[in-house]
């Protein structure tokens, strides 16, 4: 327990942030789940997982040579590592006890500094920081995907600054572990932010009308830890002025005190109920905590707790937990919940009173309201304990802050630091961090290869299914009679030992050969598909031409007469409106109509008149952006030839545009014109040497060139003996 007296100033000027090339990211690593928020420059968007979830499980699991992090991780078994934040050195510093540790099924070493799992064919020990780095690596991927989804530009175009929340009660070892993990995961500009500061930032953003000097008590009971913070909102800083000269009410807050109990949470209530039923039920006497039955019983007590938080009594059936794997009912009521958890209630009251006693509120100042968040604060006796310890009325307790508030606050504080203090990169590498980074790179390469092999195997399987379905399609009669036996052979190969042991290069070769064989065997069928595709292409081009001439019903009269000599400002409004509509269509996956809108915007770009040199430069920049977007739309439509034409137009506008060269190199790559792709990728890399996407493309091109030369050499050897 300790005090923090930092004061942070926030000037919430959305116009200032919206055009910045900096994005801040707040991360709250909880025991069961991790929450991630982007900063104000991206409207404080919640970062979603690949499956669309708003939180990421704080877990990593291992299966053979495969690592599964976050949402893909298993949560049960000896190779499933959960509660990653609690494994950090010095994270728990109350009395050294940990009621959750006996339930862990994974193996920890004697001093709990590492975890041993079966991975890549052997038992391997991983430091807690290495496991957290794995999770943060997945978080980083989710952050990049979210930015790409909500922004017109990709994540490579922004500088990212990460803020990782940590309890004020954590020891220096835990803080260093977390920084080393962030470094190993490749999180740029990472900085730790105390959770008590995060509450203040989130509260200030949500309640600007409360910045009047009032004192607020924050109670956050998560799964395994509880943090109490006393904040005074709106102090000491005077109003400033915004960039346009208008007054701006500054928002400040002060952390008067903060106290944390790292062993008190909603999960400790589950454990308390587990102990009760295990000791009072004869059929459960022999159950151990880290057995499968023990885990099922713990899941049952969690469900009963949640049920009793809403109803005066309840019953939960737990399957296969009794003798001979019989099912048992756990019956309970509010009295049981209250009596069993009396030690937790006493600890919570003591923690709150201690934090209040440490807060120097000044003469005549008292706590005016309570904000309760975290799953534990939904339990009735927890609410009663908060009211009792604070001395306030029930009506003063609010649940306005949600479970993402800590991550949001970390992102807000990080943005303030970046924009107001011009800080240097605070993430410094240590020898341990460097080792973790190198280890993570090796495992990431293995993950990528395993993923690529699985993806190629799925593509072959999808091709088999597609060809089987093709028999019932419009051109199915053109398929040869031997198609079924051919597909059966491919199916057999997928389940063969050769397939199981295939390397990435072997799988690539197999996939390419499969596609080539199919095209040769089913030549007439593919020719019919190609003719049909050409017809669709001509139709799309006609629609694009019509789009250039059609009048959009929602546009103003000036657009109805778009051949007039419109003022530059009005013409630019029409261009940008079409571009915005195209971007929206593109984001929704309507690539065909997005391409038509981009084309229409380009047609308006040709109608500017009497431009000054500065205006001409601005229009050229817009045309460059439109061409690049149109090229990407054509790529999504699998029209590389059209994309190449548009890329050439973009490069004619600016031959030194790294993005245009990168886009054309990508098109050349799809067209398998490796030498041309190499030339553009090389020039783009010289123009933007730090661009990771360009480097990755260059590496891929080099691999294909190397493979092509190997094939040519092999063919030459066959020809000339």
């Amino acid at each position: 327990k300790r005090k923090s007296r930092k004061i942070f100033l926030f000037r919430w000027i959305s116009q200032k942030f919206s055009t910045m090339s900096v994005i801040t990211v707040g991360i709250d690593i909880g025991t069961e789940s991790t929450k991630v928020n982007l900063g104000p420059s991206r409207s404080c968007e919640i970062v979603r997982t690949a499956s669309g979830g708003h939180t990421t499980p704080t877990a990593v699991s291992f299966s053979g040579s495969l690592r599964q992090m976050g949402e893909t991780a298993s949560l049960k078994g000896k190779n499933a590592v959960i509660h990653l934040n609690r494994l950090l050195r010095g994270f728990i510093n109350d009395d050294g006890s940990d009621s959750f540790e006996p339930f862990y099924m994974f193996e920890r070493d004697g001093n709990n500094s590492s975890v041993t799992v079966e991975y890549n064919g052997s038992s391997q020990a991983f430091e807690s920081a290495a496991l957290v780095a794995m999770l943060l690596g997945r978080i980083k991927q989710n952050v990049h995907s979210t930015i790409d989804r909500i922004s017109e530009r990709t994540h490579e175009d922004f500088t990212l600054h990460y803020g990782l929340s940590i309890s004020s009660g954590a020891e220096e070892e835990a803080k260093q572990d977390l920084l080393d993990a962030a470094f190993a995961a490749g999180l740029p500009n990472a900085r730790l932010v105390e959770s008590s500061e995060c509450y203040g930032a989130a509260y200030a953003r949500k309640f600007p009308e409360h910045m009047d000097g009032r004192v607020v008590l924050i109670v956050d009971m998560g799964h395994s830890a509880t943090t109490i913070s006393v904040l005074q909102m709106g102090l000491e800083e005077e109003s400033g002025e915004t960039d346009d000269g208008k007054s701006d009410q500054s928002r400040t807050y002060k952390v008067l005190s903060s106290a944390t109990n790292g062993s008190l949470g909603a999960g400790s209530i589950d454990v308390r109920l587990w102990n009760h039923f295990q000791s009072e039920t004869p059929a459960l006497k022999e159950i151990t905590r880290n057995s499968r039955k023990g885990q099922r019983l713990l899941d049952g007590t969690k469900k009963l707790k949640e049920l009793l938080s809403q109803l005066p009594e309840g019953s939960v059936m737990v399957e296969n937990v009794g003798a001979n794997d019989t099912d048992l009912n756990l019956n309970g009521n509010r009295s049981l919940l209250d009596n069993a958890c009396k030690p937790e209630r006493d600890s919570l009251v003591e923690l709150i009173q201690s934090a209040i006693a440490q807060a120097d509120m000044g003469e005549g100042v008292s706590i005016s309201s309570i904000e309760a968040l975290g799953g534990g604060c939904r339990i009735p006796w927890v609410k009663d304990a908060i009211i009792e310890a604070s001395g306030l009325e029930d009506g003063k307790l609010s649940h306005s802050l949600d479970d993402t508030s800590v991550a949001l606050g970390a992102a807000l504080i990080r943005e303030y630091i970046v924009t107001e203090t011009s800080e240097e990169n605070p993430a410094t590498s240590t020898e341990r961090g460097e080792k973790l980074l190198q280890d993570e790179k090796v495992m990431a390469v293995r993950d990528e290869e395993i993923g690529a092999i699985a993806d190629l195997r799925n593509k072959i399987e999808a091709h088999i299914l597609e060809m089987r379905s093709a028999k019932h399609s419009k051109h199915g009669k053109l398929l040869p009679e031997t198609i079924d036996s051919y597909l059966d052979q491919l199916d057999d190969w997928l389940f063969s030992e050769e397939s199981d042991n295939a390397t990435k290069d072997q799988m690539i070769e197999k996939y390419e050969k499969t596609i080539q064989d199919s095209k040769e065997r089913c030549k007439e069928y593919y020719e019919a598909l190609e003719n049909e595709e050409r017809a669709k292409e001509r139709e799309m081009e006609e629609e694009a031409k019509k789009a250039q001439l059609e009048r959009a019903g929602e546009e103003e009269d000036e657009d109805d007469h778009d051949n007039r000599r419109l003022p530059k400002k009005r013409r630019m409004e029409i261009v940008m409106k079409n571009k915005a509509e195209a971007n929206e269509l593109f984001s929704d996956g309507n690539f065909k109509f997005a391409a038509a809108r981009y084309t229409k915007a380009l047609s308006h770009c040709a109608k500017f008149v009497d431009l000054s040199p500065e205006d001409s430069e601005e229009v050229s920049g817009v045309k460059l952006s439109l061409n690049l977007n149109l090229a990407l739309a054509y790529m999504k439509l699998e029209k590389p030839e059209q994309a190449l034409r548009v890329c050439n137009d973009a490069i004619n506008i600016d031959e030194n545009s790294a993005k245009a060269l990168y886009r054309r190199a990508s098109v050349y790559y799809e067209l398998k014109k490796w030498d041309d792709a190499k030339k553009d990728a090389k020039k783009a890399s010289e123009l933007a040497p730090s661009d990771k996407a360009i480097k990755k493309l260059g590496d891929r091109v080099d691999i294909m060139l190397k493979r092509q030369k190997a094939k040519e050499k092999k063919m030459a050897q066959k020809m000339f003996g």
Side-chain angles (χ1 to χ4, degrees):
K1 303 172 185 176
R2 69 184 188 84
K3 292 185 180 181
S4 175
R5 294 183 173 277
K6 294 182 180 177
I7 296 178
F8 283 96
L9 168 66
F10 293 90
R11 294 189 175 94
W12 310 102
I13 311 170
S14 59
Q15 295 87 348
K16 176 179 179 181
F17 294 138
S18 61
T19 58
M20 287 176 55
S21 60
V22 170
I23 297 179
T24 57
V25 184
I27 301 177
D28 173 24
I29 305 178
T31 300
E32 287 195 309
S33 64
T34 297
K35 294 88 174 176
V36 188
N37 260 84
L38 302 183
S41 67
R42 286 301 170 269
S43 303
C44 299
E45 180 83 10
I46 294 175
V47 172
R48 299 182 183 181
T49 64
S51 58
H54 287 181
T55 63
T56 302
T58 309
V60 174
S61 64
F62 301 84
S63 177
S65 299
L66 181 66
R67 296 187 302 167
Q68 298 167 309
M69 290 82 78
E71 64 271 23
T72 62
S74 170
L75 302 180
K76 303 288 185 183
K78 293 184 177 181
N79 284 330
V81 187
I82 59 175
H83 296 188
L84 300 182
N85 63 332
R86 296 183 66 79
L87 305 183
L88 297 173
R89 298 175 302 163
F91 184 87
I92 305 169
N93 65 350
D94 295 308
D95 56 5
S97 64
D98 184 357
S99 60
F100 299 96
E101 200 272 340
F103 289 90
Y104 294 155
M105 300 181 74
F106 53 87
E107 179 185 345
R108 303 180 74 182
D109 70 1
N111 57 9
N112 291 338
S113 63
S114 66
V115 171
T116 300
V117 295
E118 292 296 322
Y119 173 58
N120 199 30
S122 64
S123 295
Q124 295 193 31
F126 291 99
E127 292 184 49
S128 56
L131 296 167
V132 174
M134 297 176 195
L135 173 69
L136 291 177
R138 175 53 54 87
I139 295 292
K140 182 176 71 170
Q141 294 176 10
N142 294 339
V143 169
H144 291 175
S145 297
T146 299
I147 293 173
D148 293 344
R149 175 174 56 83
I150 67 174
S151 304
E152 292 186 10
R153 296 180 285 169
T154 66
H155 65 273
E156 288 97 343
D157 297 323
F158 298 95
T159 300
L160 304 184
H161 293 259
Y162 286 81
L164 288 81
S165 71
I166 192 165
S167 167
S168 60
E171 295 182 357
E172 290 303 316
E173 283 183 323
K175 296 178 181 179
Q176 189 58 57
D177 276 1
L178 193 51
L179 285 175
D180 286 342
F183 179 80
L187 301 190
N189 310 322
R191 184 185 180 120
L192 302 184
V193 185
E194 290 190 2
S195 56
S196 55
E197 305 288 353
C198 298
Y199 302 133
Y203 188 92
R205 180 179 175 84
K206 189 172 183 66
F207 300 108
E209 68 276 12
H210 291 180
M211 308 303 291
D212 53 8
R214 70 180 62 191
V215 176
V216 181
L217 176 68
I218 306 290
V219 180
D220 183 1
M221 178 180 276
H223 183 76
S224 67
T226 299
T227 297
I228 312 298
S229 297
V230 181
L231 310 175
Q232 193 160 18
M233 311 305 298
L235 283 176
E236 300 183 18
E237 299 290 345
E238 298 179 357
S239 296
E241 289 189 347
T242 63
D243 292 343
D244 58 4
K246 296 179 181 179
S247 64
D248 171 46
Q249 179 62 45
S250 298
R251 304 184 181 185
T252 63
Y253 64 88
K254 182 178 181 180
V255 179
L256 300 179
S257 68
S258 180
T260 299
N261 185 329
S263 300
L264 173 64
S268 56
I269 298 171
D270 304 338
V271 173
R272 184 68 66 177
L273 290 174
W274 191 99
N275 292 334
H276 167 79
F277 284 106
Q278 195 267 347
S279 62
E280 298 295 327
T281 308
L284 302 177
K285 292 286 187 181
E286 303 301 321
I287 288 181
T288 56
R289 288 170 173 78
N290 64 349
S291 65
R292 292 192 178 276
K293 287 186 177 182
Q295 297 294 305
R296 285 195 286 270
L297 179 58
L298 186 63
D299 290 339
T301 58
K302 179 180 180 180
K303 291 177 182 177
L304 182 62
K305 173 200 68 180
E306 294 170 348
L307 190 61
L308 295 179
S309 297
Q310 304 173 54
L311 302 172
E313 59 183 24
S315 178
V316 172
M317 185 181 73
V318 183
E319 296 180 347
N320 304 326
V321 73
N324 299 318
D325 291 337
T326 56
D327 302 339
L328 287 179
N329 284 323
L330 304 181
N331 301 308
N333 53 35
R334 288 273 177 88
S335 296
L336 168 65
L337 186 64
D338 293 347
N339 293 332
C341 299
K342 188 177 185 305
E344 282 73 24
R345 179 191 173 103
D346 293 343
S347 295
L348 178 60
V349 170
E350 180 185 355
L351 188 68
I352 295 173
Q353 291 177 341
S354 173
I356 294 174
Q358 292 184 61
D360 183 9
M361 289 179 272
E363 187 176 352
V365 180
S366 61
I367 295 172
S368 60
S369 62
I370 307 169
E371 279 295 331
L373 64 154
C377 289
R378 302 184 183 97
I379 301 170
W381 70 254
V382 172
K383 297 178 183 178
D384 295 340
I386 293 172
I387 296 301
E388 175 189 331
S390 65
L392 271 67
E393 300 174 355
D394 187 22
K396 298 293 185 179
L397 191 149
S398 169
H399 297 273
S400 299
L401 295 180
D402 60 32
D403 291 348
T404 65
S405 295
V406 176
L408 171 61
L412 295 172
I413 293 172
R414 202 70 187 90
E415 186 126 356
Y416 163 73
I417 294 171
V418 172
T419 58
E420 299 294 333
T421 65
S422 301
E423 63 156 16
E424 296 294 329
N425 181 359
T428 57
S429 62
T430 63
E431 182 178 348
R432 179 164 168 267
E434 292 284 356
K435 182 182 184 304
L436 290 174
L437 175 61
Q438 296 307 315
D439 292 344
E440 178 61 28
K441 285 182 177 180
V442 171
M443 290 184 286
V445 170
R446 185 182 297 122
D447 291 343
E448 183 179 359
E449 179 161 351
I450 292 172
I453 291 172
D455 183 53
L456 288 163
R457 186 174 283 112
N458 290 337
K459 285 183 177 181
I460 294 174
E461 186 174 9
H463 177 70
I464 295 172
L465 294 173
E466 180 184 350
M467 294 306 295
R468 291 195 189 280
S469 300
K471 293 188 298 182
H472 310 290
S473 68
K474 179 179 178 181
H475 305 296
K477 294 180 180 180
L478 299 176
L479 291 169
E481 294 181 359
T482 58
I483 187 66
D484 284 330
S485 61
Y486 165 67
L487 296 176
D488 288 342
Q489 290 174 12
L490 288 177
D491 251 335
D492 292 341
W493 184 87
L494 281 177
F495 294 95
S496 68
E497 185 176 347
E498 181 184 357
S499 174
D500 292 340
N501 298 327
T503 64
K504 179 181 175 181
D505 288 341
Q506 290 170 338
M507 286 300 295
I508 291 173
E509 184 178 353
K510 180 64 177 179
Y511 173 69
E512 292 176 348
K513 186 177 185 302
T514 298
I515 299 300
Q516 186 62 36
D517 287 350
S518 296
K519 289 184 176 180
E520 290 176 359
R521 292 171 181 268
C522 311
K523 185 176 181 181
E524 293 183 4
Y525 171 78
Y526 279 104
E527 285 178 350
L529 289 182
E530 187 176 348
N531 291 334
E532 187 177 29
E533 191 65 23
R534 287 176 180 171
K536 289 181 180 179
E537 183 180 310
R538 288 193 295 269
E539 180 185 351
M540 192 191 77
E541 290 178 350
E542 287 299 321
E543 288 184 8
K545 291 178 181 178
K546 290 178 182 179
Q548 295 180 34
L549 301 175
E550 71 177 4
R551 291 184 301 172
E554 70 276 11
E555 291 181 355
E556 299 178 12
D557 291 342
E558 289 90 342
D559 198 31
D560 293 341
H561 307 283
D562 58 8
N563 287 322
R564 293 168 50 187
R565 294 170 61 87
L566 296 177
K568 178 254 180 181
K569 179 180 178 182
R570 176 56 189 148
R571 181 66 71 187
M572 184 61 76
E573 288 175 353
I574 297 172
V575 170
M576 299 311 291
K577 181 177 182 181
N578 277 280
K579 181 183 179 183
E581 291 173 352
N583 289 341
E584 186 174 350
L585 288 166
F586 188 96
S587 298
D588 292 338
N590 297 322
F591 306 123
K592 179 178 178 181
F593 296 103
R597 277 293 171 184
Y598 285 132
T599 302
K600 185 172 183 179
L602 282 167
S603 71
H604 281 288
C605 284
K607 298 174 183 178
F608 285 100
V609 293
D610 300 331
L611 295 177
S612 67
E614 292 79 9
D615 290 339
S616 295
E617 185 176 350
E618 179 186 358
V619 171
S620 293
V622 173
K623 288 170 66 178
L624 177 63
S625 175
L626 287 169
N627 276 300
L628 292 175
N629 290 353
L630 179 57
L632 187 57
Y634 278 133
M635 290 295 290
K636 293 291 186 180
L637 291 167
E638 298 183 359
K639 306 293 182 186
E641 295 293 347
Q642 283 84 346
L644 178 60
R645 172 176 55 79
V646 176
C647 285
N648 289 335
D649 291 341
I651 291 174
N652 286 336
I653 295 172
D654 184 0
E655 62 180 8
N656 290 319
S657 168
K659 195 167 185 178
L661 289 163
Y662 166 73
R663 186 82 77 230
R664 189 169 71 174
S666 300
V667 175
Y668 279 138
Y669 184 90
E670 293 299 322
L671 293 171
K672 298 185 179 180
K673 296 183 178 180
W674 316 124
D675 291 330
D676 291 330
K678 175 67 174 178
K679 181 179 178 182
D680 279 354
K682 181 180 179 182
K683 185 175 180 181
S685 181
E686 291 171 353
L687 293 167
S690 61
D691 192 304
K692 295 180 180 178
I694 294 174
K695 184 180 183 303
K696 286 182 180 179
L697 177 60
D699 292 342
R700 287 163 53 202
V701 172
D702 288 340
I703 291 172
M704 299 311 297
L705 282 170
K706 184 178 179 181
R707 187 172 294 145
Q708 183 182 22
K709 290 179 180 178
K711 286 182 178 180
E712 291 173 352
K713 183 178 179 181
K714 191 174 182 180
M715 289 177 63
Q717 288 174 343
K718 287 182 179 180
M719 291 175 63
F720 302 107

